[in-house]
Structure formats: structure tokens, C-alpha cells
Amino acid sequence: SELRKSLGVWFTPPEVVDYMVERVDSVLREELGVADGLADNRVYVLDPCCGTGSYLVAVLKRIERTLRAKGEDALVAAELKRAAMERVCGFEILPAPFVVAHFQLSLLLEALGAPLGRRVHLGAEEAERVAVYLTNALTGWGPPPTGAHQLHLLAGLQEEADFAREVKREKPILVVLGNPPYNGFAGVAMEEERELSRAYRSVKRVRPPEGQGLNDLYVRFFRMAERRIVEQSGRGVVSFISNYSWLDGLSFTGMRERYLEVFDKLWIDCLNGDKYRTGKLTPEGEPDPSIFSTEHNREGIQVGTAIAVFVRRAEHGGGGEARFRNLWGAKKRRMLEETKRQDGKSLYQLLSPALELGLPLMPGEVASGYVSWPLLTGLFPVSFPGVKTSRDSALVDIDRDRLIRRMERYFDDRVSDSDIAYSDPELMVDRARFAAKATRAVLVARGFLEANVVKYLYRPFDIRWLYWEPETKLLDEKRSEYFPHIFAGNLWIEARQKQTKGKFDRGYVTQALGDNMGNGLSNFFPMFVRPGIESGALFGKDDGRNPNLGENAIAYAEAIGSEKAAVFYHSIAILRSSNYAEGNLGALRQDWPRVPLPAKREALLASAELGRKVAALLDAETPVDGVTAGEMRPELVPIGPIAHRDKRNLSDRDLEVRARWGYAGQGGVTMPGHGTVQERDYIAEEKWALRRGAEALGMSLEAALACLGASTCDVYLNEVAYWRSVPKRVWDYTLGGYQVLKKWLSYRECELLGRALTLEEARYVTAVARRIATLLLLEPKLDANYRAVATD
């Protein structure tokens, strides 16, 4: 059981097995003209990873129902026995499930009145057996290489290998179905397996694959099945349930291109249930468990899954038709059961996979004309991945002085390695590409560089201090090409090549050197780059800094008669539009964001002005009049002031964060806690202030509450101190996948920080809440701006 789990092999729910068998039976009848479906004696079936035989049992039961419906009662048992022995085949690589599969099929035949016995074959008596073989399904399909030596196996194993080889090379397989392993492969593959993993790396028209997704084991089973049906049988059906990453992942562009080329029809039942992309929630926010969840294992598996059915006709015309449907929520199994014999056209949405997006086999939310808009990387050709420290607790700190003291001690030759290992163990543990003692020896000989203690965007709205070390691997990825372009007045847009999880919430703006920002890889696109530094295509020198614009973007700005900076700020306005994020999520999951450029100068300048406001609000180092400086806008006055529960003044000690917002996890990693938040209705004074502010903005109170949230929250530091009235949407606001305020607090829990908040830090939370509130109140204008630009 544990070995099967380590390979990503899971018990397949009976509803899934029955559904897939019924779908295959229907496709055989409707698409290939096999009137009796699986019951036709010419239909050879293979489950290449049969486990304990669930699919094989279900196929035999389907055959039985078809035969009994014909009235052939006296011969049904004999027909089923012949099918189980000759044409309903299974491969399994693990001995224990292999034995159970034999046992299950033997019991089924015995229950039907056709038990296995003995027979005379080629003049000799032998025991009857079902067609389940102990073998590696991914190898042995072709003839052995010339001069290959046959392994000297035990007699039983040699016989097993011979039987499996006969199925692989001689039997006319028409159906391949099952539940292949999902996990990435970390072992040593035989040459034939390596060839399977290479097959989808070459492409014709679509973009080349990226990443490591093609290393997943299930991909090899797909390729094996495709070859068996397309290249050997020439027609047939493939049906697998698998990890659904291949439907739209950037690693699988060649895989999808080939399937649309070699199969005539493809049906996808997307079962969702993904922890990483949707958090196992439906679009309505309801629970969306894995299809593999059970009462004993409610979590199921972490990745989303999908059932795929492909058909290849003998008269293949090319240009496959793809259809798709989504199944959500806790009743997915029932939905499969209820729809397994329904007409496919009434269930599925016809897809039109876009070549520019990598031919995704999921319906993506994409605006008309989206694929013609320029990529962010085309507008701003220079970008840099964020710094990766891998030693955060030592090289990053909220307090500059504390970081300097720690690094001065590290560089002090009077302090031994063992003392450093005791106080800052991360600095003295060998890692990949990091020899701790040798690195320290080199750096101590050179000396500490205080000028390299720099501001560091650790998380959105969380600027800390980093010791940026230009030599050795003290920093795992120091990004030497990135660092020289950090200078006063230079803004950076954070973005990623694809949005792998949840909603699109990129487009953060900062002046500081940026972190890799958690899982994945954040890239930072500067407004300017320094000339004379090898960092990509640079154009248009301007007082020692070059606008980071591609040639086409410069030509556009000049043709429209606009300053070049307008393109940068316009892009910020577009990326921060919720209509843009929601309306193009399908495409944003595939590639860098694309940005529509307005046809008229006035529209570009208006959009850029909105972008300037957004940039100022996102950049925590830029004061914003009416929000963080000067006379406060009336609607912001009640948002986030720090208060005492008993309406008293707060002391320094009252600013200790002790509401369990964060705690130290394994390896010193900060883990988020639940904290204390009390959601409530706005009181009359708060609504009055919001109404005044809304009127000044030309909005109704109702419209303002739609932006900010219908309720508000009191967010506690400890038992007595709290930030009063943080609107619900402000509290829930995310950037880069992080819930901004909650994430900030998780790192400031007193046990982790080692002190209380300063007065400035306590007021900083208020300021960030007001910045976010202002951004939310800008949403209607940002959305209207995006719609206007996308239209023209």
C-alpha cells in the first residue's frame, strides 16, 4: 500500500471506473461503429496499470449486461471466461495488486458459473488463467534490439514476460483505459521509457514545452496508449483518469498539439478538486474535494484530476474536435453516475484551443482579441527574476541594525565557525552549491560591505533589509544582473509567466530589490535600466538611464505622440483591473500577461494617469496625499486606526502582537496562525464618513460598500489593542497570492519578532489598510478604463 502511494497510485472510486467503462462502450458504438461495444469479440482491451483489477472487472460486467440483453443466457458465462482469458488484459508492475487482480477476476468468473480450471493447449494440459500479467507496461512494445541477450529469469517470470510480450506485440488492442500513476519520476528509466518522455518535447506550430511536467509518470502512459492505438492498431479508444495539469500546463504544449492532430475526437471531464489552483473550492466558494476523497481519507489527493476519452477512426481526417465539461463540488461522483450513458454533445462545451496560448484543452476566460495584444515581455524586454536567499532567517531582517550586527559578527574572524553555527545555523549548513565553511573563509578575508545592506521587498507591502552579497553563494540566487538597476525613482512591476493558482493578482509595484516571492518565480520589470550594463535590448538614452521599452513599444509611443513612460503606467492600470484579471484568467494561466494598447493618445494618457495613482498606492515608500499624508480623505478616516478595547491610551507594551498570527514551524519557517478578527457591521459614524467620502468621489454609499465590503473587521494585536474597522474586502485583499495584512502580521508575532511593534509599525498597518481601501475604491474606474481600451 505504501509503495503504491509513493508511486502516486490510488484506489479508483467505483463511480469513476463505471463511468469510464460506460463512456468507452458508448464511443465504440457511436464513433467506431462497433454495435456491441465492449462485448464484440474483436474488441481487445488493455488496462496498462490495472492494480487490483477494478477496470477489468467493470469491463467484464459491461460485457455481461450487453450479452444478457441479447438473451444469450446459456453462453454468457463461457463468453465472459473467454474474454477474461484472451481479450480483457491487464498489466501490473507490483506483485501484491497483481495477485489481488487475479483473485478478483477468478471470483467474478466463479460467481458467473465459469470458474477457471485446466485446459489442453498445444497438446499439453495447463491451468487456465486470466490475461493479467506482471510486467512494465512502458517497455517491450517493439522487437528486441538486434543482438540483445535474453535475461535468464525464473521459469515463472520468464513465462509471464512471454505472455505480456504477446499482448504488446501481437494482440490488436482497440481500447486502452485505466488510472496511471501521477507522480514525477525520480528514478533511472530504461531507454524505451526515456523515449516515451521525449516524445512530446518536439512541436510543429505551438510554443515549445517549458518546465518539468513531462517527467510525470502518467505522461508516459498516455504516450504508450497513443502509440498503441494510433501507430499500431490504427483506430481505437483511449480513456485515462489523471492529473489534469496536461490540459493547460506550459509543459504539455506538444502533447496537446499531437492529440489534436492524431485523434478525431477528445472529451474531457474536468473533476477539479485541486489544492494549488483553486484551494479545493468551487467558483462559488463551496468545498470541492478530490474525486478520490473518501470518509477515511477526506483530503484525497492534492492535484486536480480529469477523465480523458480520445477516439481515433480508421478513416482519420486530422484536426481533432475537443469537448469539455467541468464537474465541481461534493456530488461529482453522482454526476458521473447520472450522465454516463447520456449523449456527449448535450454534456460538453466545444473548445477552440488557441495556438498562441499553447492549445489549452480547458475553456479559458479570454477577451476577444486578447492574443493579438503585446506580451508584457514585448513591451518591457528587460526583466529579472527575484532574489532567492535560501537563508532568510540570517540574511533578511525587519530591523536594519539587527541585520548589521549579525552580519558583522559573521564577518568577524575572531568568532569561530562553531559560534556562528550556534547563533545562526543557516549560515553554517552545507547546501547544494553552498559550502558553508569555505564560503565564510572567503568572505571574512574580504570583509563586510555595509553599503550592501539594502531595502528588500520580501512580500507585498512588507519591505525589510537584505544583506546583498555580490560574491560566492551566500545568497542562493543573488541576481547580479538585477541589482545595478535599483536606483531612486526607478519603479518595477512584479509579474509571472503564468498564474498557477487562484485569481490573477500580480502587477505589484515597488522601488526596492524584490524577493522571489514564495512558490514559483516572480520577475520584476523596470521602468528604466542603466546604460552600459549587459541586460537585454536597451533603447533611447535619457540622462544615464534608458526607458525599458521594446522597439515596437517605442514606435507606438512615438506614433501616438505620447511620452514613453505612459506605456509603463498604462500597463499598471490594466494589470490592476479586476475585469482584466477575471476576463482573461484562462490566458493568464498560460503565459505572461498581454496588455491592450489604446488607439488614441487621450485614452493612453488617461489610463497612464490611473496607473500613476495605482503605482503610488502600491509603492509603500511613496507618500500619497489624502491617504497617508496631509488631510485625510473622509472615507478613510474610520479605516484602521489603532485603538484600546477599553478606549484608553495605548502603552508601548500594548503593541506586542500576541494574537497567534504566526508561529515558528519546522526549520524556523514562519507559519500563519488564525489570529483574532471580529467581523461586524459598520456603526453609524463609520457609515456617515463613508457616505461623505463616496459623495466626494461621485459614488453612492452602496457603490462604495460594494468596493470595500458590506461588513468590517476589528483586527487584534493582543487582548486589548486592535486596528478598528478594516473593511472586509480590505482585510481579504491579496497580492501575489498573499493575504496582505494577515501575512504581514504573521511575521510580527512577538515571539518571532522578539519585541513589540514600534509606533511607526503600528501606524503602518493603518496606512496599508487605507492604501488598499483606496485601490478598491478605484476598481470601477480601472475596470471602465480596461473595457474602453480593450474595445478600442
Side-chain angles (χ1 to χ4, degrees):
S1 173
E2 289 304 313
L3 178 57
R4 290 183 63 81
K5 191 174 293 185
S6 72
L7 286 171
V9 182
W10 289 80
F11 168 76
T12 312
E15 296 89 343
V16 171
V17 175
D18 290 344
Y19 175 79
M20 291 171 65
V21 169
E22 291 294 330
R23 288 289 294 125
V24 167
D25 190 67
S26 296
V27 169
L28 285 169
R29 298 167 190 262
E30 297 165 9
E31 301 295 335
L32 296 183
V34 181
D36 289 335
L38 291 165
D40 190 303
N41 284 325
R42 297 167 296 174
V43 176
Y44 283 75
V45 180
L46 172 66
D47 181 349
C49 37
C50 70
T52 57
S54 300
Y55 284 94
L56 304 180
V57 169
V59 167
L60 291 171
K61 288 182 177 179
R62 174 68 256 180
I63 294 172
E64 180 194 15
R65 290 196 297 274
T66 299
L67 294 178
R68 293 204 185 280
K70 292 170 155 305
E72 299 176 10
D73 294 336
L75 295 176
V76 167
E79 286 279 4
L80 287 170
K81 182 175 178 179
R82 183 171 69 173
M85 293 176 60
E86 297 179 4
R87 67 180 186 85
V88 179
C89 308
F91 293 159
E92 177 55 43
I93 198 170
L94 299 177
F98 163 77
V99 171
V100 175
H102 272 271
F103 183 64
Q104 279 211 89
L105 290 165
S106 298
L107 286 179
L108 174 65
L109 294 176
E110 188 170 350
L112 293 170
L116 295 172
R118 301 189 68 81
R119 65 173 181 172
V120 176
H121 181 63
L122 299 177
E125 187 178 72
E126 62 182 16
E128 293 179 324
R129 62 167 291 168
V130 295
V132 176
Y133 306 106
L134 189 65
T135 186
N136 181 355
L138 300 178
T139 61
W141 290 87
T146 304
H149 297 287
Q150 185 166 331
L151 294 175
H152 295 287
L153 304 174
L154 295 174
L157 292 179
Q158 184 62 61
E159 184 180 48
E160 200 73 15
D162 292 340
F163 283 139
R165 190 177 299 112
E166 179 185 357
V167 174
K168 292 174 180 178
R169 298 180 190 169
E170 298 178 19
K171 291 197 175 181
I173 303 296
L174 199 65
V175 172
V176 182
L177 85 167
N179 176 13
Y182 298 0
N183 283 9
F185 184 69
V188 177
M190 296 175 65
E191 179 60 31
E192 192 173 349
E193 283 195 49
R194 286 198 294 271
E195 186 61 33
L196 288 171
S197 68
R198 293 191 198 109
Y200 300 130
R201 298 186 190 279
S202 60
V203 297
K204 295 179 179 178
R205 300 179 302 139
V206 78
R207 59 190 296 171
E210 302 169 17
Q212 302 300 315
L214 289 174
N215 291 333
D216 281 5
L217 271 174
Y218 77 88
V219 175
R220 301 181 189 188
F221 281 87
F222 268 84
R223 173 60 177 158
M224 178 276 297
E226 178 220 324
R227 290 180 63 185
R228 190 61 188 83
I229 295 302
V230 173
E231 299 173 14
Q232 290 182 260
S233 299
R235 68 173 190 146
V237 183
V238 176
S239 180
F240 280 151
I241 179 171
S242 72
N243 181 331
Y244 73 171
S245 58
W246 71 273
L247 295 177
D248 64 352
L250 292 179
S251 292
F252 309 95
T253 54
M255 185 175 173
R256 295 191 294 268
E257 181 182 52
R258 181 157 178 82
Y259 292 169
L260 289 167
E261 176 186 338
V262 301
F263 291 106
D264 291 285
K265 289 189 178 180
L266 303 86
W267 296 269
I268 308 296
D269 291 289
C270 183
L271 304 173
N272 296 293
D274 187 272
K275 172 185 176 181
Y276 307 102
R277 182 177 291 189
T278 63
K280 291 187 180 288
L281 295 175
T282 70
E284 295 74 32
E286 299 296 321
D288 181 42
S290 165
I291 195 73
F292 291 90
S293 296
T294 66
E295 288 187 9
H296 302 292
N297 179 20
R298 295 187 181 277
E299 188 179 63
I301 61 177
Q302 303 303 308
V303 296
T305 53
I307 296 170
V309 180
F310 308 149
V311 64
R312 163 88 173 202
R313 301 194 190 102
E315 307 81 19
H316 175 63
E321 174 187 281
R323 293 183 177 271
F324 178 95
R325 70 163 171 161
N326 261 319
L327 289 90
W328 294 99
K331 298 181 180 179
K332 283 180 279 203
R333 292 192 189 182
R334 184 188 304 173
M335 293 169 67
L336 290 175
E337 179 67 26
E338 292 171 350
T339 59
K340 63 187 179 185
R341 298 299 292 183
Q342 288 187 20
D343 173 44
K345 289 186 178 180
S346 64
L347 294 175
Y348 296 90
Q349 169 188 350
L350 181 64
L351 297 177
S352 298
L355 185 67
E356 299 87 346
L357 301 179
L359 297 173
L361 291 176
M362 296 181 80
E365 303 88 344
V366 182
S368 174
Y370 179 88
V371 295
S372 68
W373 302 343
L375 287 166
L376 197 67
T377 50
L379 292 175
F380 313 114
V382 178
S383 67
F384 306 100
V387 172
K388 180 183 177 185
T389 72
S390 294
R391 282 165 277 282
D392 294 19
S393 64
L395 302 177
V396 181
D397 208 305
I398 292 168
D399 295 328
R400 182 177 186 273
D401 291 343
R402 185 164 58 189
L403 176 61
I404 290 175
R405 288 195 302 271
R406 182 162 61 245
M407 297 316 300
E408 285 178 335
R409 188 169 181 271
Y410 174 79
F411 280 86
D412 189 342
D413 60 4
R414 295 168 298 179
V415 181
S416 68
D417 288 346
S418 58
D419 285 343
I420 296 295
Y422 179 79
S423 60
D424 297 289
E426 274 195 331
L427 293 173
M428 297 310 300
V429 175
D430 287 345
R431 304 288 187 194
R433 304 183 301 162
F434 176 65
K437 289 185 177 180
T439 298
R440 184 175 183 235
V442 169
L443 293 176
V444 167
R446 189 212 62 204
F448 174 60
L449 304 174
E450 185 173 346
N452 282 14
V453 175
V454 297
K455 288 185 178 179
Y456 187 51
L457 180 70
Y458 189 67
R459 297 291 182 264
F461 284 113
D462 190 350
I463 293 179
R464 305 189 185 184
W465 296 93
L466 167 74
Y467 182 72
W468 188 82
E469 174 50 56
E471 302 175 33
T472 75
K473 295 297 290 186
L474 183 65
L475 281 174
D476 191 358
E477 296 292 351
K478 50 186 169 288
R479 315 299 187 194
S480 297
E481 71 284 6
Y482 174 9
F483 188 77
H485 302 281
I486 301 291
F487 53 85
N490 200 15
L491 288 178
W492 301 73
I493 299 173
E494 183 270 338
R496 291 193 174 187
Q497 186 170 11
K498 60 179 180 176
Q499 181 72 19
T500 57
K501 177 181 176 181
K503 65 181 182 179
F504 177 82
D505 61 354
R506 318 313 301 192
Y508 186 71
V509 179
T510 185
Q511 294 184 60
L513 184 70
D515 185 81
N516 199 46
M517 303 282 271
N519 293 327
L521 190 67
S522 289
N523 268 51
F524 292 85
F525 294 77
M527 177 182 264
F528 300 104
V529 289
R530 292 190 186 277
I533 297 174
E534 294 297 328
S535 54
L538 308 178
F539 306 98
K541 290 185 178 180
D542 179 17
D543 297 329
R545 59 185 189 177
N546 297 335
N548 178 27
L549 285 179
E551 290 177 313
N552 288 340
I554 288 179
Y556 162 76
E558 291 175 348
I560 208 170
S562 167
E563 60 172 340
K564 298 178 181 67
V567 178
F568 186 87
Y569 287 111
H570 158 73
S571 299
I572 294 170
I574 295 297
L575 294 177
R576 295 311 308 159
S577 161
S578 59
N579 281 182
Y580 170 83
E582 294 162 5
N584 299 296
L585 184 56
L588 292 166
R589 283 178 173 154
Q590 305 304 313
D591 204 350
W592 296 108
R594 290 178 177 269
V595 178
L597 298 177
K600 298 180 179 63
R601 178 177 181 273
E602 294 75 16
L604 176 65
L605 296 180
S607 180
E609 184 57 32
L610 272 175
R612 283 186 172 87
K613 293 179 180 178
V614 171
L617 290 166
L618 289 173
D619 179 21
E621 297 182 280
T622 300
V624 182
D625 191 48
V627 179
T628 65
E631 184 179 350
M632 200 61 50
R633 287 166 38 169
E635 75 276 13
L636 301 180
V637 171
I639 292 177
I642 193 163
H644 193 288
R645 182 188 59 192
D646 299 327
K647 299 182 180 180
R648 292 164 29 200
N649 291 328
L650 292 167
S651 66
D652 291 345
R653 185 174 178 80
D654 291 331
L655 297 183
E656 291 182 352
V657 179
R658 295 191 179 277
R660 196 64 174 165
W661 286 112
Y663 60 93
Q666 188 174 3
V669 175
T670 296
M671 302 298 294
H674 293 294
T676 303
V677 179
Q678 293 182 356
E679 187 176 348
R680 61 173 173 80
D681 293 332
Y682 295 96
I683 61 175
E685 293 86 346
E686 293 164 349
K687 278 194 174 183
W688 178 80
L690 287 174
R691 186 188 300 277
R692 281 186 58 216
E695 289 172 352
L697 295 172
M699 304 171 68
S700 66
L701 174 61
E702 291 71 24
L705 291 176
C707 293
L708 298 174
S711 58
T712 192
C713 302
D714 293 331
V715 180
Y716 279 79
L717 292 80
N718 47 54
E719 291 184 350
V720 298
Y722 66 100
W723 288 280
R724 187 174 65 234
S725 192
V726 177
K728 186 66 168 61
R729 288 196 68 210
V730 172
W731 174 247
D732 292 338
Y733 193 78
T734 66
L735 279 168
Y738 298 103
Q739 187 177 341
V740 173
L741 292 173
K742 184 177 181 182
K743 191 69 176 176
W744 190 93
L745 282 170
S746 70
Y747 291 109
R748 271 76 180 178
E749 190 74 26
C750 193
E751 290 182 3
L752 301 177
L753 185 60
R755 60 171 175 78
L757 297 183
T758 65
L759 299 180
E760 291 76 17
E761 287 171 330
R763 290 200 173 104
Y764 180 76
V765 174
T766 303
V768 172
R770 290 170 176 174
R771 285 177 184 269
I772 294 172
T774 309
L775 284 166
L776 291 171
L777 289 168
L778 271 177
E779 273 189 348
K781 289 184 178 180
L782 290 167
D783 288 342
N785 173 66
Y786 161 67
R787 292 192 298 269
V789 171
T791 302
D792 187 16

